[in-house]
PDB file of all heavy atoms in Angstrom:
ATOM      1  N   ALA L 159      14.767 -11.693  -9.613  1.00 44.00           N
ATOM      2  CA  ALA L 159      13.531 -12.429  -9.370  1.00 44.00           C
ATOM      3  C   ALA L 159      13.538 -13.191  -8.065  1.00 44.00           C
ATOM      4  O   ALA L 159      12.647 -13.971  -7.798  1.00 44.00           O
ATOM      5  CB  ALA L 159      13.276 -13.397 -10.524  1.00 44.00           C
ATOM      6  N   GLY L 160      14.557 -12.993  -7.230  1.00 49.00           N
ATOM      7  CA  GLY L 160      14.580 -13.637  -5.920  1.00 49.00           C
ATOM      8  C   GLY L 160      14.534 -15.143  -5.991  1.00 49.00           C
ATOM      9  O   GLY L 160      13.936 -15.801  -5.165  1.00 49.00           O
ATOM     10  N   GLY L 161      15.205 -15.739  -6.998  1.00 54.00           N
ATOM     11  CA  GLY L 161      15.220 -17.187  -7.130  1.00 54.00           C
ATOM     12  C   GLY L 161      14.066 -17.726  -7.951  1.00 54.00           C
ATOM     13  O   GLY L 161      14.018 -18.909  -8.265  1.00 54.00           O
ATOM     14  N   ARG L 162      13.109 -16.867  -8.330  1.00 59.00           N
ATOM     15  CA  ARG L 162      11.988 -17.315  -9.125  1.00 59.00           C
ATOM     16  C   ARG L 162      12.360 -17.355 -10.605  1.00 59.00           C
ATOM     17  O   ARG L 162      13.354 -16.785 -11.033  1.00 59.00           O
ATOM     18  CB  ARG L 162      10.796 -16.382  -8.920  1.00 59.00           C
ATOM     19  CG  ARG L 162      10.207 -16.459  -7.522  1.00 59.00           C
ATOM     20  CD  ARG L 162       9.213 -15.355  -7.275  1.00 59.00           C
ATOM     21  NE  ARG L 162       9.884 -14.058  -7.235  1.00 59.00           N
ATOM     22  CZ  ARG L 162       9.297 -12.942  -6.826  1.00 59.00           C
ATOM     23  NH1 ARG L 162       8.045 -12.967  -6.450  1.00 59.00           N
ATOM     24  NH2 ARG L 162       9.951 -11.804  -6.814  1.00 59.00           N
ATOM     25  N   LYS L 163      11.533 -18.004 -11.387  1.00 71.00           N
ATOM     26  CA  LYS L 163      11.752 -18.119 -12.813  1.00 71.00           C
ATOM     27  C   LYS L 163      11.691 -16.743 -13.469  1.00 71.00           C
ATOM     28  O   LYS L 163      10.832 -15.928 -13.150  1.00 71.00           O
ATOM     29  CB  LYS L 163      10.694 -19.040 -13.426  1.00 71.00           C
ATOM     30  CG  LYS L 163      10.888 -19.304 -14.901  1.00 71.00           C
ATOM     31  CD  LYS L 163       9.800 -20.243 -15.415  1.00 71.00           C
ATOM     32  CE  LYS L 163       9.971 -20.489 -16.918  1.00 71.00           C
ATOM     33  NZ  LYS L 163       8.905 -21.393 -17.439  1.00 71.00           N
ATOM     34  N   ALA L 164      12.624 -16.494 -14.386  1.00 76.00           N
ATOM     35  CA  ALA L 164      12.650 -15.209 -15.079  1.00 76.00           C
ATOM     36  C   ALA L 164      11.402 -15.040 -15.937  1.00 76.00           C
ATOM     37  O   ALA L 164      10.828 -16.004 -16.437  1.00 76.00           O
ATOM     38  CB  ALA L 164      13.899 -15.109 -15.948  1.00 76.00           C
ATOM     39  N   ILE L 165      10.980 -13.787 -16.093  1.00 82.00           N
ATOM     40  CA  ILE L 165       9.809 -13.463 -16.905  1.00 82.00           C
ATOM     41  C   ILE L 165      10.238 -12.493 -17.994  1.00 82.00           C
ATOM     42  O   ILE L 165      10.877 -11.467 -17.713  1.00 82.00           O
ATOM     43  CB  ILE L 165       8.689 -12.847 -16.048  1.00 82.00           C
ATOM     44  CG1 ILE L 165       8.220 -13.854 -14.995  1.00 82.00           C
ATOM     45  CG2 ILE L 165       7.513 -12.403 -16.921  1.00 82.00           C
ATOM     46  CD1 ILE L 165       7.185 -13.284 -14.045  1.00 82.00           C
ATOM     47  N   ALA L 166       9.905 -12.794 -19.229  1.00 85.00           N
ATOM     48  CA  ALA L 166      10.275 -11.933 -20.349  1.00 85.00           C
ATOM     49  C   ALA L 166       9.417 -10.675 -20.353  1.00 85.00           C
ATOM     50  O   ALA L 166       8.253 -10.706 -19.935  1.00 85.00           O
ATOM     51  CB  ALA L 166      10.097 -12.689 -21.659  1.00 85.00           C
ATOM     52  N   PRO L 167       9.965  -9.546 -20.818  1.00 88.00           N
ATOM     53  CA  PRO L 167       9.149  -8.328 -20.902  1.00 88.00           C
ATOM     54  C   PRO L 167       7.991  -8.509 -21.866  1.00 88.00           C
ATOM     55  O   PRO L 167       8.072  -9.265 -22.841  1.00 88.00           O
ATOM     56  CB  PRO L 167      10.140  -7.278 -21.416  1.00 88.00           C
ATOM     57  CG  PRO L 167      11.495  -7.843 -21.177  1.00 88.00           C
ATOM     58  CD  PRO L 167      11.352  -9.325 -21.251  1.00 88.00           C
ATOM     59  N   ALA L 168       6.901  -7.805 -21.610  1.00 89.00           N
ATOM     60  CA  ALA L 168       5.784  -7.790 -22.548  1.00 89.00           C
ATOM     61  C   ALA L 168       6.190  -6.990 -23.789  1.00 89.00           C
ATOM     62  O   ALA L 168       7.051  -6.101 -23.705  1.00 89.00           O
ATOM     63  CB  ALA L 168       4.560  -7.152 -21.883  1.00 89.00           C
ATOM     64  N   PRO L 169       5.610  -7.265 -24.939  1.00 91.00           N
ATOM     65  CA  PRO L 169       5.932  -6.481 -26.142  1.00 91.00           C
ATOM     66  C   PRO L 169       5.756  -4.982 -25.944  1.00 91.00           C
ATOM     67  O   PRO L 169       6.466  -4.181 -26.548  1.00 91.00           O
ATOM     68  CB  PRO L 169       4.950  -7.029 -27.193  1.00 91.00           C
ATOM     69  CG  PRO L 169       4.662  -8.432 -26.737  1.00 91.00           C
ATOM     70  CD  PRO L 169       4.682  -8.375 -25.235  1.00 91.00           C
ATOM     71  N   LEU L 170       4.829  -4.609 -25.071  1.00 92.00           N
ATOM     72  CA  LEU L 170       4.597  -3.188 -24.795  1.00 92.00           C
ATOM     73  C   LEU L 170       5.848  -2.509 -24.254  1.00 92.00           C
ATOM     74  O   LEU L 170       6.050  -1.313 -24.475  1.00 92.00           O
ATOM     75  CB  LEU L 170       3.447  -3.047 -23.792  1.00 92.00           C
ATOM     76  CG  LEU L 170       3.072  -1.634 -23.360  1.00 92.00           C
ATOM     77  CD1 LEU L 170       2.467  -0.857 -24.516  1.00 92.00           C
ATOM     78  CD2 LEU L 170       2.096  -1.675 -22.182  1.00 92.00           C
ATOM     79  N   ALA L 171       6.698  -3.244 -23.530  1.00 89.00           N
ATOM     80  CA  ALA L 171       7.866  -2.646 -22.880  1.00 89.00           C
ATOM     81  C   ALA L 171       8.802  -1.970 -23.873  1.00 89.00           C
ATOM     82  O   ALA L 171       9.447  -0.970 -23.550  1.00 89.00           O
ATOM     83  CB  ALA L 171       8.616  -3.709 -22.085  1.00 89.00           C
ATOM     84  N   ALA L 172       8.904  -2.492 -25.102  1.00 89.00           N
ATOM     85  CA  ALA L 172       9.859  -1.955 -26.077  1.00 89.00           C
ATOM     86  C   ALA L 172       9.312  -0.779 -26.858  1.00 89.00           C
ATOM     87  O   ALA L 172      10.046  -0.145 -27.631  1.00 89.00           O
ATOM     88  CB  ALA L 172      10.273  -3.065 -27.043  1.00 89.00           C
ATOM     89  N   VAL L 173       8.030  -0.443 -26.688  1.00 89.00           N
ATOM     90  CA  VAL L 173       7.422   0.636 -27.461  1.00 89.00           C
ATOM     91  C   VAL L 173       7.935   1.983 -26.965  1.00 89.00           C
ATOM     92  O   VAL L 173       7.959   2.246 -25.762  1.00 89.00           O
ATOM     93  CB  VAL L 173       5.881   0.577 -27.356  1.00 89.00           C
ATOM     94  CG1 VAL L 173       5.244   1.750 -28.094  1.00 89.00           C
ATOM     95  CG2 VAL L 173       5.364  -0.745 -27.904  1.00 89.00           C
ATOM     96  N   ARG L 174       8.345   2.825 -27.921  1.00 89.00           N
ATOM     97  CA  ARG L 174       8.763   4.174 -27.553  1.00 89.00           C
ATOM     98  C   ARG L 174       7.563   4.981 -27.092  1.00 89.00           C
ATOM     99  O   ARG L 174       6.464   4.854 -27.643  1.00 89.00           O
ATOM    100  CB  ARG L 174       9.428   4.865 -28.743  1.00 89.00           C
ATOM    101  CG  ARG L 174      10.809   4.327 -29.093  1.00 89.00           C
ATOM    102  CD  ARG L 174      11.328   4.967 -30.373  1.00 89.00           C
ATOM    103  NE  ARG L 174      11.272   6.425 -30.311  1.00 89.00           N
ATOM    104  CZ  ARG L 174      12.181   7.192 -29.719  1.00 89.00           C
ATOM    105  NH1 ARG L 174      13.239   6.628 -29.139  1.00 89.00           N
ATOM    106  NH2 ARG L 174      12.059   8.507 -29.721  1.00 89.00           N
ATOM    107  N   LEU L 175       7.770   5.812 -26.072  1.00 88.00           N
ATOM    108  CA  LEU L 175       6.668   6.586 -25.517  1.00 88.00           C
ATOM    109  C   LEU L 175       6.058   7.503 -26.573  1.00 88.00           C
ATOM    110  O   LEU L 175       4.841   7.692 -26.615  1.00 88.00           O
ATOM    111  CB  LEU L 175       7.173   7.402 -24.317  1.00 88.00           C
ATOM    112  CG  LEU L 175       6.137   7.777 -23.252  1.00 88.00           C
ATOM    113  CD1 LEU L 175       5.465   6.544 -22.709  1.00 88.00           C
ATOM    114  CD2 LEU L 175       6.776   8.571 -22.131  1.00 88.00           C
TER     115      LEU L 175
END
Side-chain angles (χ1 to χ4, degrees):
R162 292 169 292 191
K163 184 179 179 181
I165 298 176
L170 179 68
V173 177
R174 288 174 52 82
L175 206 57

